[in-house]
Amino acid sequence: ATGRPTNFIRNIIEEDLAQGANLPRYWCGHPAPYSEQLQKGAPDVAKIRTRFPPEPNGYLHIGHAKSICLNFGLARDYGGYCHMRFDDTNPVKEDQEYVDGILDSVRWLGFDWKHEKETNLYFASSYFEYMYLFAEHLIKTGYAYVDEQSADEMRENRGTLKEPGKNSPYRNRSVEENLRLFREMRDGKHAEGSMVLRAKIDMASPNINLRDPAIYRIRFAEHHATGDKWCIYPMYTFAHPIEDSLENITHSICTLEFEDQRAFYDWALERIIPVLRTPQFEEAKALIAAMAEGKDERAMRFVEEAYAARAKLGQSEPETKLKALFEGWSQARPASLEDADAKAFFALLTAHPENFTPLMQAALGFVRKNFFLLSHQYEFNRLSLTYVVVSKRKLIQLVKDGYVDGWDDPRMPTIVGLRRRGYTPESLQHFAERCGVSKVSGGWIDYSVLEASLREDLESRAERRMTVMKPLKLIIDNYPEGASEELVADNHPQKPEMGTRKITFSRELWIEETDFAEVPPKGFRRLTIPADGSPAKPVRLRYAYVIVPTSVDKDENGKVVAVHAQYLPETKSGTEGSVSVKTKATIHWLDAKTAVPAEIRVYDRLFCKPNPEEGEGSFLENLTPNSKVVLRSYVEPSTAAAAPDTKFQFERTGYFVADREDHSSEHPVFNLSVGLKDSWGK
Ligand code: ATP
Ligand code: MG
Ligand code: MG
C-alpha cells in the first residue's frame, strides 16, 4: 500500500488500520506535553504511533539508523506519528552531550518529531512520578514486594531453564510493610543494593523474566535531568511499558532480544492500565495522586475489586454476555468508572467466581480493542554489520582509548562518523530498507551492502573531478614552454544538465604514480616505455590530448620522478582529429601550474575480521592496522573551492567528501567515502 518493500510489521499495521484495531478511540491521560496540546485543539487520534527510544549514553550507530528508519518510516508511510523519546532511566551513564548528538543525528537522517499539531519529544525521566505511583499501585494490589535478599541470593533462587526458582523469604510481606519499605527506599533510608522492589508474579514460570523481576532499585546518583531528586530508579523493563502507554504508542517495536520480555510488558500494562486510562488528563492525575494516598475509591475499584476477587473466581460464563455488557459500556463513553455497566461487570465477576480468568481476559481483550489503547510490543531482527562493532560500550572504548579520532571519526559506524565519511541520509535510509525487517535473528549484513547504497546514491549526484592521489610529474616536451590552454570538462558525463567546468593544460602535468610502469605487469595498457626499443603505446589524457611516453628522469635511488612525453596536437578531445589515433587507455591528470595541494584521507575498514567480536581475544586485536592513510595529493581549483561536505567522484578512484570539520579552500581536506567498485580484499 505504501510502495515500499513490505514486512511483517507493515502487515500488522495495515491489518490494524483496516480493522481500526488497537488505535486510541479516546485521547487519554498524558503528562504535560499532551495536556498542553489538548488545549490547542484535539490531537490526532486513531493514528498509529511508534517511538524511537534511545538511551542517551552514547552516539547513535548504524543499528539505530535501522530502528529510526523503521519507526519514523512507518509513521510517515501510514500517516501516524513517531515519538522521539529518551529512555533516560539509568542515571549513571547518561549525558546532555549525547541527548544533543542523538537529536542532531535523527534530524540529519531526515526525520522530525515536530508536527503541526504535536511536538513529540519526550524524556522517560519526566514520568518518574508516574512510575513511582504505578509501583505503589502494584504494591497495594498485592503485585509487588520489597526484597532484601542479596543479589547473589536472588540469582541463586531464580532457578534455571530446567528448574523452577525459589520464593524469596520476603515474598509474603504485608502490603503495609511493603509500602513502608518502598517509601523508605524513596526517602533514601536504605543503602544501595540493600533491597529492591520486585514484581510478584511466579517463581516457577517457564519464562525466567516472569520470576519476580526487579522493578525498582536504589541508586544514589545524580541524574542528568532530575538531579538528585530521586535515589530509586525504575528498571528499564518496568519503565518501558509505562512510557509507551503514557504516550499512547500503538506499535512498540524493539529488537528480538526483548521477545521474552513481552510477557512482562503485557503483565505490567494489564495491571496498571485501569489507572492509566481515564478520559481526562487532569482527572487521571488527580486519580493517581489520590491513589498514592491510598484513598481514592473509584480508581481502586476496577483494579482492587477485580483482582482481589481473583482467589475466589474460576470458570465459564458465556462470553457473549460479557461482550454485550462491554459494548454498552464503550458506547456510553468511559466518562467515569462509576458507570453502571462497570458495576454490572463486577457483579458478573462476583456471581461467577469460577470464571475469573477467562472473564478478565475477555474483558481486557475487549477493552484493548474497543475502549482504551493498550500498547503492543513487536520484535524485529537487530542489524549486525560485518567489519564493525555496534555496541555502544565498545564504541565508547574506541573513542576513550584513542583508537579513533572521536565519535565522528569517518571509520566509525556511528551516524556522525558515517556522515563525516560522506554518507548521505538517503543512502542510509535506502540501506535500512534493504536490510529488511524480519523475525530471523543472527543474520549479518555485509559491509559492502552499506557501501553499495552510498555508491548508488552518489553515482547520479556527485560531480566528477580529476584528482591525482599520488602525483608523478609528466613533462610534455613538445608543448611550448610558458604556454597554457583552457579545456572544458563535463561535471557528469551522463548528465549534461550538471554542466561543465574549465580546466587548464600546460607543459607540466601531474599524473597518478600508478599510471606509469617501468616494468609493466601483463596486460598493462597505460604509460610504459618498452625495454626492447619498440614504439611506446599512445595513451589519452582525459579531456585533452593523446600522448606517447619517451623517457624518464630518476633520482639517485633509481626512482622515477618524472615521465617525458610527446603530445599529438591533432588529437585534442572534442575535435575531429580526436579519433585519428587509437588508444587503449585514458588517464586523468592535472595541470601542475593550477593544481591545488590537498590532504586526502584514505580509510580502510576499521576491523579486519567480518565479526570483530569472534574469538578469544579482545575485539581490539582485530582492528585493521593503519586503517587511516593521509596522502599529499592534488585537486582541481574548483574541487578545492567546494564547501565542506560537498561530495565528488574523483574519476577512476572513488567517491570523496570535503571534510566537514577540516576542509577549507586554503587547506583542502577530502575523505574517501567509498571506492568505485567493491575492491575489498582484492
Ligand atoms: P547498544 O547495545 O549499542 O547500547 P541499545 O539497544 O542499548 O544499543 P538504545 O539506545 O537502547 O541502544 O537503542 C535505541 C533503539 O535502537 C532501541 O529501540 C533498539 O532496539 C534500537 N537498536 C539498537 N541497536 C540496534 C541494532 N543493532 N539494530 C536495530 N535496532 C537497534
Ligand atoms: Mg538500551
Ligand atoms: Mg544494548
Side-chain angles (χ1 to χ4, degrees):
T2 61
R4 287 174 196 278
T6 192
N7 57 51
F8 79 99
I9 294 178
R10 285 178 181 268
N11 292 342
I12 289 169
I13 289 178
E14 284 171 19
E15 218 165 276
D16 283 350
L17 285 170
Q19 295 177 359
N22 203 31
L23 296 174
R25 272 268 179 95
Y26 302 106
W27 198 253
C28 300
H30 192 281
Y34 275 175
S35 70
E36 282 161 26
Q37 288 154 17
L38 274 172
Q39 283 157 20
K40 285 189 212 144
D44 273 332
V45 294
K47 299 223 155 167
I48 68 152
R49 276 173 202 277
T50 55
R51 86 283 172 272
F52 172 63
E55 190 182 342
N57 59 354
Y59 281 79
L60 299 180
H61 53 61
I62 184 72
H64 293 116
K66 174 175 177 178
S67 179
I68 294 168
C69 293
L70 174 63
N71 282 295
F72 280 93
L74 290 170
R76 170 197 62 206
D77 294 344
Y78 295 104
Y81 294 103
C82 179
H83 292 198
M84 177 70 224
R85 180 204 305 152
F86 286 97
D87 222 323
D88 55 351
T89 51
N90 179 1
V92 183
K93 293 184 242 153
E94 297 163 359
D95 203 276
Q96 185 63 36
E97 177 198 343
Y98 298 136
V99 171
D100 298 337
I102 288 171
L103 290 179
D104 202 49
S105 287
V106 173
R107 242 183 324 238
W108 175 77
L109 261 183
F111 300 103
D112 206 347
W113 49 90
K114 280 193 193 140
H115 302 279
E116 201 188 324
K117 283 193 190 165
E118 310 183 12
T119 294
N120 292 313
L121 174 62
Y122 303 106
F123 290 83
S125 58
S126 63
Y127 310 140
F128 279 162
E129 209 74 55
Y130 285 81
M131 293 170 186
Y132 177 81
L133 293 174
F134 293 137
E136 282 212 350
H137 169 71
L138 287 183
I139 293 175
K140 290 178 193 167
T141 48
Y143 283 111
Y145 63 99
V146 173
D147 196 354
E148 287 173 72
Q149 293 183 100
S150 69
D152 285 342
E153 285 169 322
M154 274 190 243
R155 202 173 307 117
E156 187 97 332
N157 291 336
R158 191 168 294 133
T160 61
L161 279 176
K162 289 191 196 102
E163 259 179 58
K166 289 197 198 82
N167 283 354
S168 162
Y170 303 97
R171 198 172 196 261
N172 289 321
R173 280 181 149 141
S174 68
V175 167
E176 291 68 36
E177 195 183 0
N178 279 318
L179 259 187
R180 177 178 58 79
L181 286 170
F182 187 50
R183 287 173 184 173
E184 285 175 9
M185 281 168 65
R186 175 197 60 192
D187 296 340
K189 299 210 172 106
H190 296 283
E192 234 172 79
S194 64
M195 48 181 74
V196 294
L197 185 69
R198 295 179 78 175
K200 191 172 182 176
I201 310 179
D202 179 6
M203 288 304 291
S205 171
N207 181 346
I208 293 182
N209 294 302
L210 292 182
R211 294 185 189 170
D212 292 9
I215 58 177
Y216 256 94
R217 63 192 154 168
I218 302 171
R219 277 272 184 292
F220 289 94
E222 176 96 4
H223 187 279
H224 79 103
T226 59
D228 58 5
K229 172 150 192 242
W230 295 91
C231 64
I232 54 170
Y233 290 93
M235 303 298 286
Y236 170 83
T237 43
F238 180 60
H240 207 78
I242 296 175
E243 296 158 17
D244 284 347
S245 197
L246 283 169
E247 293 176 17
N248 272 332
I249 299 302
T250 57
H251 300 80
S252 176
I253 301 164
C254 61
T255 46
L256 277 167
E257 320 85 81
F258 292 94
E259 195 164 15
D260 288 346
Q261 290 286 358
R262 193 188 334 127
F264 178 73
Y265 183 100
D266 290 343
W267 183 94
L269 280 190
E270 290 185 2
R271 268 143 201 86
I272 60 179
I273 204 161
V275 194
L276 209 52
R277 297 285 171 237
T278 54
Q280 258 81 46
F281 165 67
E282 287 311 324
E283 190 184 354
K285 225 159 70 168
L287 272 182
I288 289 165
M291 262 186 43
E293 311 281 289
K295 65 185 184 211
D296 188 276
E297 283 180 26
R298 279 188 313 148
M300 302 312 277
R301 174 156 49 249
F302 189 96
V303 194
E304 273 171 25
E305 248 184 64
Y307 284 99
R310 172 173 227 151
K312 292 189 251 143
L313 304 175
Q315 299 316 301
S316 65
E317 171 65 22
E319 272 196 29
T320 44
K321 202 164 171 187
L322 185 78
K323 202 155 178 261
L325 179 67
F326 266 93
E327 261 148 24
W329 190 11
S330 67
Q331 265 149 37
R333 201 181 183 279
S336 89
L337 294 169
E338 304 272 23
D339 200 289
D341 293 319
K343 283 188 185 143
F345 170 65
F346 291 116
L348 190 68
L349 271 183
T350 325
H352 297 274
E354 68 288 358
N355 208 9
F356 177 82
T357 306
L359 271 178
M360 261 333 262
Q361 271 168 7
L364 282 167
F366 191 88
V367 166
R368 182 185 302 189
K369 233 177 134 181
N370 294 296
F371 209 33
F372 302 118
L373 167 81
L374 192 61
S375 303
H376 269 279
Q377 177 181 304
Y378 303 93
E379 307 87 12
F380 72 103
N381 58 331
R382 72 188 288 116
L383 171 68
S384 303
L385 188 63
T386 58
Y387 299 104
V388 297
V389 291
V390 288
S391 137
K392 267 185 268 182
R393 193 173 55 78
K394 296 197 167 112
L395 295 175
I396 286 176
Q397 198 179 344
L398 291 173
V399 173
K400 297 255 151 93
D401 297 347
Y403 291 101
V404 293
D405 309 328
W407 284 102
D408 67 348
D409 184 300
R411 289 165 291 181
M412 287 282 273
T414 50
I415 296 181
V416 283
L418 291 164
R419 177 182 188 183
R420 194 160 172 193
R421 181 74 179 256
Y423 275 80
T424 57
E426 292 80 2
S427 64
L428 294 182
Q429 284 185 27
H430 193 164
F431 170 71
E433 233 155 68
R434 206 171 257 190
C435 291
V437 172
S438 80
K439 278 276 192 194
V440 183
S441 68
W444 286 74
I445 302 285
D446 197 82
Y447 196 78
S448 61
V449 177
L450 177 66
E451 295 182 319
S453 298
L454 179 61
R455 214 178 276 126
E456 275 172 36
D457 186 34
L458 293 183
E459 151 54 36
S460 63
R461 291 162 55 161
E463 290 194 0
R464 274 42 173 174
R465 288 292 187 273
M466 293 202 286
T467 296
V468 177
M469 309 282 288
K470 293 184 181 162
L472 173 66
K473 188 60 79 64
L474 177 76
I475 302 162
I476 317 274
D477 291 312
N478 62 337
Y479 197 85
E481 220 154 326
S484 171
E485 65 190 291
E486 256 186 6
L487 304 169
V488 176
D490 297 324
N491 287 334
H492 194 301
Q494 285 82 46
K495 297 179 89 182
E497 68 275 20
M498 285 175 75
T500 60
R501 65 190 189 279
K502 297 224 162 82
I503 52 178
T504 64
F505 184 88
S506 66
R507 191 166 188 268
E508 293 200 2
L509 310 176
W510 293 116
I511 59 166
E512 211 66 74
E513 203 179 74
T514 49
D515 281 337
F516 175 81
E518 215 180 357
V519 185
K522 204 165 174 289
F524 188 80
R525 295 172 159 192
R526 289 159 285 157
L527 297 171
T528 187
I529 301 166
D532 62 4
S534 59
K537 296 260 160 45
V539 166
R540 173 164 289 282
L541 295 178
R542 184 134 167 89
Y543 297 118
Y545 298 94
V546 173
I547 56 162
V548 180
T550 52
S551 65
V552 296
D553 297 340
K554 292 183 177 181
D555 66 10
E556 60 270 23
N557 302 317
K559 185 178 183 289
V560 174
V561 291
V563 175
H564 291 265
Q566 297 278 317
Y567 86 118
L568 311 178
E570 73 283 5
T571 60
K572 185 171 178 173
S573 291
T575 66
E576 263 173 44
S578 68
V579 289
S580 63
V581 177
K582 287 249 169 349
T583 54
K584 291 215 163 119
T586 300
I587 63 171
H588 59 270
W589 55 274
L590 290 171
D591 181 354
K593 252 194 231 157
T594 56
V596 182
E599 173 179 334
I600 296 192
R601 299 171 182 167
V602 175
Y603 294 106
D604 202 344
R605 293 178 181 179
L606 189 51
F607 292 93
C608 52
K609 287 237 178 94
N611 176 2
E613 283 156 289
E614 120 202 312
E616 300 279 287
S618 153
F619 72 108
L620 296 169
E621 287 166 23
N622 297 324
L623 281 163
T624 307
N626 307 319
S627 52
K628 173 183 178 181
V629 173
V630 177
L631 300 179
R632 303 275 143 220
S633 309
Y634 287 101
V635 297
E636 294 179 30
S638 69
T639 313
D645 211 31
T646 307
K647 281 101 178 158
F648 290 111
Q649 186 196 94
F650 292 169
E651 287 190 283
R652 300 178 60 222
T653 311
Y655 293 97
F656 290 78
V657 63
D659 190 75
R660 306 184 63 225
E661 300 294 330
D662 300 336
H663 171 85
S664 68
S665 45
E666 295 75 43
H667 180 69
V669 179
F670 291 89
N671 300 324
L672 169 65
S673 305
V674 63
L676 282 187
K677 44 180 190 277
D678 186 6
S679 61
W680 177 252
K682 281 171 204 136

